[in-house]
Structures are given as structure tokens and as C-alpha cells.
Amino acid sequence: MNDRRLIFRLGIAVVVLALLHLALFFKNDDKALLARRSVLVTDVSDEWTAITIDHGGTNLIKMVKGKNWRLEKPYPASVDESAVMQMYDALTVEPLDDSMSNAELSRLGRSRRGFSLDPPALTVTLDDGKKKTVVGFGKPIPSGKSVYASVSGVNAVFVVPTNVLATVDRPAGDFRRRTLFAASPDEVTSFSIKNDTGAVMNFIRDGEVW
């Protein structure tokens, strides 16, 4: 009988130690992941099919990609591809200033709400057709040079330069294409003009001369 009790107690002790080891593993694993993370969005996809920017439910901007990027909300329009690339580079290339895991926040008696991240003041949803990544932006740090941010599925709060936020916190008009043609003048090698009578004038570039 005593042997059974001893074996039972040893079994309980083994289970408790295993759970403690598992908890320590995940705690250290979060730290290791954050230590290796140098940018806000690490799940990089060149095939984003939709980008949605939500200013706290008051101003929704949605861009979708077919052959080219187009503005869908708040009104339909062609999109300046360079504006999308600026956003892409800021989210996937711009180095982080700092990061804090949720465990660290708890030890400090802090929460995401204190950084205006629960809920975020602004969110950017990146959709590649298979997975959605939601990036949230909160309030600026006291110096005003950086802002707090979050990423869906990551138990941490990040600090990023304000220029990252500047690429997404823009009115819809800033994403519109302002030129009639997407090609630059140097890329054009020929064009035609047709008037209302059907007459056509063809222009061909020969070096630097038309």
C-alpha cells in the first residue's frame, strides 16, 4: 500500500515538473522569438491581394489587387503602386525600435490597453488570399519619435518609428494614382493619336528623337 502511494506521489511530481518545464520552455521561446524578430511583419508575401486600413471604424480604406492595385473603398480609383510599395517596405523592412512580450508587460503591471492597442487606434489587414495578418498601431511614445504597434498572433507589443505609421495613416486620396498612364515618359517608345474623322498619327521614338 505504501509503495502504491509512493509511486502515485512520484507520478504527480513528474507531471508537475513536466508542466513547469513546458511553461518555462514557452516563456523562453517567446523571448527567443522576439530576440530574433527585427521587423514588424515577418510573414512576408509578395502576393497580397487586399489591404484594408481601418481608422478605428470611422474611416475605412480598402485596396484590392487584380492586374493592378485599385482602390475599392471609400470610392473606386486607380492606386499609385509606389504608395503600396512604401507601405510594404515600412512594414517588412523597417527595423523595430523595441519589443516587449505580454509576460514582460504583466510583470510591469501594464497591458495593451495602456498603449492604445486594445483595441488599436488604427489597423492594417494584409490579405494574401490564404491568411490575414492584422497590424495594429497605438499611441506614440513620450518622445513622439516612435509608436506602439502589435501584430496578430504575436504576444508582444512593438515600438516602431513614426514613419512606419505615416505610410498607412493617410487619407484615401494619397493612395490614388495622379498620372493618366502608369509608364514613365522614358519608357514610352511609340504612341498613336486618332481624331474623330478616323485619321491616325503614329509617333515612334528613335533614340532621343521622335
Side-chain angles (χ1 to χ4, degrees):
M1 190 67 150
N2 290 335
D3 288 343
R4 288 182 179 178
R5 287 180 179 177
L6 179 60
I7 292 172
F8 177 75
R9 289 175 180 173
L10 285 173
I12 293 295
V14 169
V15 171
V16 171
L17 287 173
L19 290 174
L20 288 173
H21 178 76
L22 190 62
L24 185 62
F25 169 79
F26 282 112
K27 179 180 176 182
N28 291 334
D29 192 48
D30 281 344
K31 285 186 176 181
L33 287 173
L34 285 179
R36 292 195 298 268
R37 195 183 192 101
S38 60
V39 296
L40 199 55
V41 177
T42 57
D43 187 14
V44 178
S45 173
D46 292 328
E47 297 301 327
W48 291 343
T49 57
I51 300 173
T52 304
I53 303 171
D54 186 354
H55 296 76
T58 60
N59 182 15
L60 188 71
I61 297 173
K62 183 174 183 180
M63 295 174 282
V64 295
K65 186 178 183 181
K67 183 177 180 181
N68 298 301
W69 281 100
R70 288 194 58 80
L71 195 63
E72 189 175 88
K73 294 181 180 180
Y75 46 75
S78 297
V79 167
D80 180 359
E81 303 258 341
S82 66
V84 176
M85 289 308 302
Q86 287 174 5
M87 185 192 313
Y88 182 91
D89 289 344
L91 295 173
T92 64
V93 178
E94 185 73 31
L96 297 171
D97 286 342
D98 201 0
S99 62
M100 295 169 284
S101 68
N102 284 0
E104 290 177 294
L105 292 177
S106 296
R107 286 197 296 272
L108 295 171
R110 306 290 299 274
S111 68
R112 290 180 176 231
R113 187 176 294 275
F115 302 101
S116 297
L117 289 170
D118 187 19
L122 181 151
T123 60
V124 182
T125 303
L126 310 169
D127 188 353
D128 65 5
K130 297 179 181 178
K131 179 183 177 182
K132 292 183 179 180
T133 300
V134 181
V135 180
F137 290 93
K139 66 181 183 180
I141 67 172
S143 70
K145 295 181 179 180
S146 303
V147 295
Y148 297 107
S150 62
V151 179
S152 58
V154 183
N155 297 320
V157 169
F158 301 99
V159 181
V160 297
T162 53
N163 62 285
V164 175
L165 176 59
T167 64
V168 298
D169 189 13
R170 308 162 70 175
D174 283 4
F175 292 102
R176 293 185 63 180
R177 194 175 74 196
R178 300 294 179 179
T179 57
L180 184 59
F181 302 105
S184 68
D186 291 338
E187 295 175 314
V188 178
T189 58
S190 65
F191 67 93
S192 300
I193 299 176
K194 184 178 181 180
N195 63 23
D196 57 355
T197 65
V200 177
M201 293 185 292
N202 296 315
F203 297 83
I204 300 175
R205 169 179 282 179
D206 183 8
E208 298 296 324
V209 179
W210 285 93

